[in-house]
Amino acid sequence: MKKIILTGGGTAGHITPNIALLPALKEAGFDIKYIGSKNGMEEGLIKAQNIPYEGISSGKLRRYFDLKNFSDPFRVVKGLFEAKKIIKMYAPDIVFSKGGFVSVPVVMAAAFLKIPVIIHESDITPGLANKIATKFATKVCTNFPETLQYLPKGKAVLTGSPIRKELLSGNREEALKLTGFDNKPTLLIIGGSLGSVIVNTAIRRSLDDILKEFNVIHICGKGNIDEKLTGRSGYLQYEYVDKELKDFFALADIVVSRAGANTICELLALRKPNLLIPLSGAASRGDQILNAASFENAGYSKVIEEESLSNTSLAGEISELYKNRQKYIDSMSNSDATNGVENIINLIKQYS
């Protein structure tokens, strides 16, 4: 039996694609181990899949000044030695990395031990962790064709993003039982795995007008429940959703979301008309802005820049999206985007 180590963490965007690969890896006969950060959010998500998990020290690679910039390199070095020890003992045939800061020492350790490494970049431009990891990688999988220009030609492969198979099998009736909603159309709001104060605030500020037309499922992130709105008719808040998400997607007529690459690819696969509010360039490297622009240009999404929220009638934009939803469904239905699971599994088989 061949062995594989998966790594990636920090946000759900670096974890859920790995989870999407698990059924196909098991079917292909791989024994699987996961390396993530100690006490990271990935630990609970991976252990819930009954996959052996090893935690290592992890430091963040920041582009801005922070006192932790002086201590975190030592954590990365410690993580490198920890990863090397785990990899030596497990002796995998291959390592697959979905990115995030914890993945860097794992990728480096695997490369030092002459083990093939495949990494995946979801966004249009590679993040800092994957920029470093690319130097040690055998192959780099990409989600967008635009990404190929930023990567070494001999390493870059357009595979698409792995989509969790269960998301495609949601049950609308189950969601209706869970929510108790009436027959109004349903709006699903996704603020990212860590939540978004800006999106949450904008939605709640417009909630009275939104609820006139829609029932609302609001996934607002850990610690972001507004107790004053608990029990509001037609409005449900969740910090995080796991097993119920597939059913909520099936129920949703339209979606408001951040523009993380994995989430928008799931929306494309599910053919869900969506309004994207990308994380601003002031608070990020601008990857979500590029992701959203790509989807808007393709006709898959409607986009509002974060800076424009205060001057925008959010309820009006949501209502317009719903009225024109078929236009977006048609564009998404005509796309040539595919679930990247099969492409990535074929690469893993080829190099393991």
Side-chain angles (χ1 to χ4, degrees), residues 171-186 215 217 236 238 244 247-253:
N171 187 311
R172 180 182 174 86
E173 295 306 314
E174 284 299 316
L176 285 171
K177 290 177 187 176
L178 283 167
T179 60
F181 283 164
D182 58 23
N183 59 0
K184 279 196 291 191
T186 297
N215 291 313
I217 300 170
L236 292 174
Y238 297 87
E244 302 90 350
D247 297 326
F248 287 165
F249 268 132
L251 180 60
D253 296 282

Side-chain angles (χ1 to χ4, degrees), residues 128-168:
L128 183 54
N130 269 350
K131 279 184 178 179
I132 296 170
T134 294
K135 299 172 185 176
F136 302 92
T138 308
K139 290 290 178 181
V140 183
C141 305
T142 72
N143 192 16
F144 295 94
E146 296 99 315
T147 313
L148 296 173
Q149 64 184 301
Y150 300 106
L151 297 167
K153 287 185 179 180
K155 289 186 177 182
V157 183
L158 179 62
T159 60
S161 185
I163 306 297
R164 290 169 286 173
K165 192 174 182 180
E166 65 268 20
L167 289 183
L168 306 174

Side-chain angles (χ1 to χ4, degrees), residues 253 266-273 328-329 332-335 337:
D253 296 282
E266 289 172 351
L267 296 176
L268 175 58
L270 292 163
R271 312 298 190 235
K272 292 294 174 180
Y328 294 99
I329 292 170
M332 289 187 281
S333 297
N334 291 328
S335 78

Side-chain angles (χ1 to χ4, degrees), residues 5-10 33-44 46-47 51-59 75-87 89-90 101-103 105-106:
I5 283 178
L6 302 180
T7 187
K33 184 183 283 289
Y34 202 102
I35 299 179
S37 55
K38 293 175 180 176
N39 304 315
M41 71 176 296
E42 58 268 25
E43 183 172 359
I46 296 302
K47 285 184 175 178
I51 298 297
Y53 184 91
E54 298 276 2
I56 63 170
S57 299
S58 174
R75 293 171 60 84
V76 173
V77 172
K78 184 180 179 184
L80 175 61
F81 283 103
E82 291 170 339
K84 190 175 179 181
K85 182 179 178 181
I86 294 167
I87 293 170
M89 289 182 64
Y90 184 62
F101 302 115
V102 71
S103 70
V106 181

Side-chain angles (χ1 to χ4, degrees), residues 8 27 45 61 65 112 138 144 312 315 324:
E27 188 176 327
L45 293 173
L61 308 171
F65 177 78
F112 292 157
T138 308
F144 295 94
T312 301
N324 295 317

Side-chain angles (χ1 to χ4, degrees), residues 260-282:
N262 297 309
T263 298
I264 63 176
C265 287
E266 289 172 351
L267 296 176
L268 175 58
L270 292 163
R271 312 298 190 235
K272 292 294 174 180
N274 59 88
L275 172 64
L276 300 180
I277 305 173
L279 188 64
S280 77

